Amino acid sequence: MTSVSPAAENAGITYASAGVDVEAGDRAVELMKGAIKATHNSSVIGGVGGFAGLYDVSKLLTYKKPLLATSTDGVGTKVAIAQAMDIHDTIGFDLVGMVVDDIVVVGAEPLFMTDYIACGKVVPERIADIVRGIAAACSVAGTALVGGETAEHPGLLGEHEYDVAGAATGVIEADQLLGPDRVRAGDVVIGMASSGLHSNGYSLVRRVINHAGWALDRQVSELGRTLGEELLEPTRVYAADCLDLARTFPVNSGQGVNGFSHVTGGGLAANLARVLPQGLVATVDRATWELPAIFKLVSELGNVPLADLERTLNLGVGMVAIVSPQAADAAVARLNERGLPSWVMGTVSADSDAIDKTGPDYVQGAKGVDGGAVRLVNAYA
């Protein structure tokens, strides 16, 4: 039996001895302040450290019927890669991308965001790196980071473990709202390239890598860098590009953007089906793009069936726009001019009994939405 000295017994139990370092949390806030403030605009009221973030929404008075859009998400098991590599300043892009790019799907401008970090032990420099990444991604999206929380959970999370989550709020004029009711037969489906795996399917990817016995520092010729560097590639943030496209080709013009689909968990077909109305089917031609090397690698290393890849990973397409046929060529040109590789990948038509609806190449409805359908055809280029 372990003996306890009288001195130790009399000292009592403190918050610090229980594993929570309040001073470390304060130091982390000081280290991240500058990055957070860099995302602020004239609408942000107050500074860092308040109980609530304040955002002046006076501009909503100019709207006829403003609708608020909100979204929340996390990064998933990709954080395990960041922790294993001890690189924490990129994971913020994954968090912001997962949140704000869900908001722009309806055409809404993401106004502000908050974050939450739970960790086993507050290491100020590590927490500051995470928040700097979140702030940098918010700047790319044009979104203010107005608040957040760092919670130390000793005994629940390991000393070097953490998880991140966030939420954002945006606004859209009611008559500019994008969605299934805007999509028509004849519309064109445009694919926007992903930057890699983004932040979905890492449970599958990590299982494949572990099964193959590959280390994160392994140099992979097909990738042109180490495996870890590829797996940690930040999620591309599409918000600014999508908003620019929607404003350049407005929905009410009859020759504009009618919808977006953010390709996250569930893959391309399932997420695209969510933004189509019943009775329409989008036919997507796989031959219009080549699978990036990382997806081929996962497929080969794990002998993963194509159907499983397609319903788990983005396979090179991170966002989709559905536009009227008159705007298709100009929309693709606009996205490419902004440095976002994009291409026409399919068309929307009326569903019919002539279409083969058996097998994994046909997906109708997904994630609780009983909407339209997506049909994948041909082989990847």
Side-chain angles (χ1 to χ4, degrees), residues 210-231:
N210 290 337
H211 176 75
W214 284 27
L216 294 176
D217 61 359
R218 181 185 183 118
Q219 192 72 35
V220 183
S221 58
E222 301 98 302
L223 304 176
R225 53 181 169 177
T226 67
L227 176 63
E229 288 169 336
E230 178 69 29
L231 297 185

Side-chain angles (χ1 to χ4, degrees), residues 236-322:
R236 175 171 269 146
V237 177
Y238 298 92
D241 297 302
C242 289
L243 291 175
D244 174 80
L245 198 69
R247 290 163 181 164
T248 304
F249 306 96
V251 63
N252 292 328
S253 69
Q255 299 181 6
V257 176
N258 295 324
F260 291 111
S261 176
H262 190 196
V263 183
T264 56
L268 172 61
N271 283 290
L272 181 53
R274 295 167 70 187
V275 298
L276 299 174
Q278 289 185 2
L280 294 186
V281 57
T283 299
V284 173
D285 188 353
R286 298 184 183 101
T288 59
W289 79 98
E290 182 178 359
L291 290 184
I294 183 60
F295 300 102
K296 295 178 182 177
L297 186 66
V298 170
S299 174
E300 293 166 3
L301 280 181
N303 194 28
V304 183
L306 177 61
D308 207 62
L309 283 176
E310 291 185 326
R311 63 173 173 252
T312 307
L313 306 175
N314 69 62
L315 297 188
V317 183
M319 182 71 79
V320 172
I322 305 169

Side-chain angles (χ1 to χ4, degrees), residues 355-377:
I355 294 174
D356 182 6
K357 301 178 182 179
T358 62
D361 288 350
Y362 182 89
V363 175
Q364 191 274 321
K367 298 194 175 184
V369 179
D370 188 16
V374 174
R375 181 174 61 134
L376 300 170
V377 298

